[in-house]
Amino acid sequence: MKKLSALFIAVFILFSFCSCGSYKTTALVISGTEIDSEIFTYYLDRVIQRPADYGLPENPQKKELKESAINECKNYLAANTKFRDMGLTLSASEKVEISENVNNFWMRFENHYKNIGVSKQTLTKIMTAQAYTEAIFNATYDKGTGDAAEEQILQDYFYGNYISFRNVCAYFTSADSKSPMSQADKNRLIAAFEALSKESFASADDFSAAVQNAGYSLSDSVLLKKGSEGYPDGFYEKVSNQDDSTVQIIIYDECVFAVWKENLKEKGESVYAGYRSSCIKDLYSGQSEEENEEYIQSLTVEEKSGTINRIIEKLS
């Protein structure tokens, strides 16, 4: 009898833990589809952690947090629905990548997600939906290299918004790099750079040798996108207007550049191929977002107020 009682207690405890670990409630019903509490919790937590990413002020109201989380749940449902309706599938390598990303994420943030009630299984659903979104975009806007007209649009964008160059940069500071350079030393440095621009070089290698003779070293090839950070204001425009295989001296308040402009097309199709996907995103992300926004606005939402309020109180 004692053995049966002990067995009953053990089974009861086991099922109690299993129930607690897997218990979920419905937080939303979006156009007839239930969104469970863990999905809502995940997105609400993201909004709370980074409100600016969702267009919210630094200290948003609870209603604002809730609405943003609901919107993300609608995006989650849209990704799953469109992926299914378009008949798309993920490749084996994409599935492996999702699994690896989930494992790495869980290793870093397991305690946090356990504390707020989000399981590893839910993280897998979230990251799978993100992969769905990427697949939907590619299936919609990547026409393939066989579409000559579309391919021309992409190449025109790439060659019109990227530049390739090598450069040497010197700052107007003293040898210890702490104090400003004297005006006389600054003038000598500028004169040394300008002397480089007055020579004629048959190739980048010839220019590199001249730079070394002057006591500097030329950078490796740099591919710079219009609007990118990392270089002073106006740098892209100045180099973009520069003739290929020439040297230009560009002077700023804090430094001077000697820039060798490369012919991007002569570097080969492989360079364009490496940035083709980025060009598609640049050209069509806005349109994709507009179409998705129109879609999610058509979805109806039924809130399970009791569940949502409990989650909000727990997280905020």
Side-chain angles (χ1 to χ4, degrees), residues 174-191:
S174 59
D176 59 12
S177 298
K178 294 180 179 180
S179 56
M181 184 179 287
S182 68
Q183 188 60 48
D185 287 341
K186 181 178 177 180
N187 291 341
R188 278 192 287 271
L189 176 57
I190 293 174

Side-chain angles (χ1 to χ4, degrees), residues 37 39 55 61-62 85 97 103 108 143 178 203 206 220-221 284 300 303 310 314:
S37 54
I39 296 292
Q61 300 294 314
K62 289 181 180 180
D85 291 348
E97 184 178 359
N103 287 335
R108 295 172 60 195
K143 307 301 182 182
K178 294 180 179 180
S203 67
D206 289 344
D220 292 331
S221 182
Y284 298 112
T300 60
E303 300 179 24
R310 284 194 296 272
K314 181 178 181 179

Side-chain angles (χ1 to χ4, degrees), residues 78-281:
N80 280 274
T81 302
K82 291 180 180 179
F83 187 85
R84 180 198 64 208
D85 291 348
M86 293 173 70
L88 301 176
T89 58
L90 296 178
S91 66
S93 62
E94 288 171 326
K95 292 176 182 178
V96 168
E97 184 178 359
I98 292 170
S99 178
E100 291 175 347
N101 288 340
V102 170
N103 287 335
N104 291 334
F105 204 72
W106 191 251
M107 285 178 62
R108 295 172 60 195
F109 303 110
E110 177 180 359
N111 290 337
H112 171 71
Y113 283 111
K114 282 185 174 179
N115 287 335
I116 66 173
V118 174
S119 65
K120 189 176 181 181
Q121 181 185 29
T122 292
L123 284 181
T124 301
K125 291 180 180 179
I126 296 292
M127 292 191 181
T128 299
Q130 292 170 353
Y132 287 172
T133 299
E134 184 77 10
I136 291 165
F137 179 87
N138 290 334
T140 304
Y141 297 104
D142 189 346
K143 307 301 182 182
T145 56
D147 188 323
E150 181 63 24
E151 197 64 15
Q152 190 61 54
I153 291 172
L154 294 176
Q155 291 193 20
D156 288 346
Y157 176 83
F158 176 71
Y159 293 114
N161 288 273
Y162 287 82
I163 54 174
S164 181
F165 61 90
R166 299 176 68 181
N167 76 97
V168 56
C169 175
Y171 285 86
F172 299 135
T173 55
S174 59
D176 59 12
S177 298
K178 294 180 179 180
S179 56
M181 184 179 287
S182 68
Q183 188 60 48
D185 287 341
K186 181 178 177 180
N187 291 341
R188 278 192 287 271
L189 176 57
I190 293 174
F193 269 58
E194 288 180 337
L196 292 171
S197 68
K198 294 175 182 177
E199 297 185 46
S200 179
F201 302 102
S203 67
D205 289 339
D206 289 344
F207 177 58
S208 179
V211 168
Q212 285 185 320
N213 290 336
Y216 299 96
S217 59
L218 192 64
S219 73
D220 292 331
S221 182
V222 177
L223 187 66
L224 183 66
K225 179 184 174 183
K226 185 176 183 179
S228 298
E229 298 180 351
Y231 286 85
D233 290 344
F235 181 88
Y236 175 92
E237 288 72 21
K238 287 182 172 65
V239 179
S240 179
N241 291 326
Q242 181 179 340
D243 291 334
D244 294 335
S245 302
T246 63
V247 178
Q248 178 182 189
I249 306 303
I250 306 175
I251 303 171
Y252 289 94
D253 291 339
E254 69 278 6
C255 63
V256 56
F257 288 90
V259 182
W260 172 269
K261 172 75 174 296
E262 295 180 312
N263 186 313
L264 187 51
K265 289 185 178 181
E266 289 181 357
K267 293 177 74 67
E269 287 293 312
S270 62
V271 179
Y272 158 71
Y275 286 83
R276 185 176 177 277
S277 294
S278 296
C279 292
I280 294 173
K281 288 183 178 180

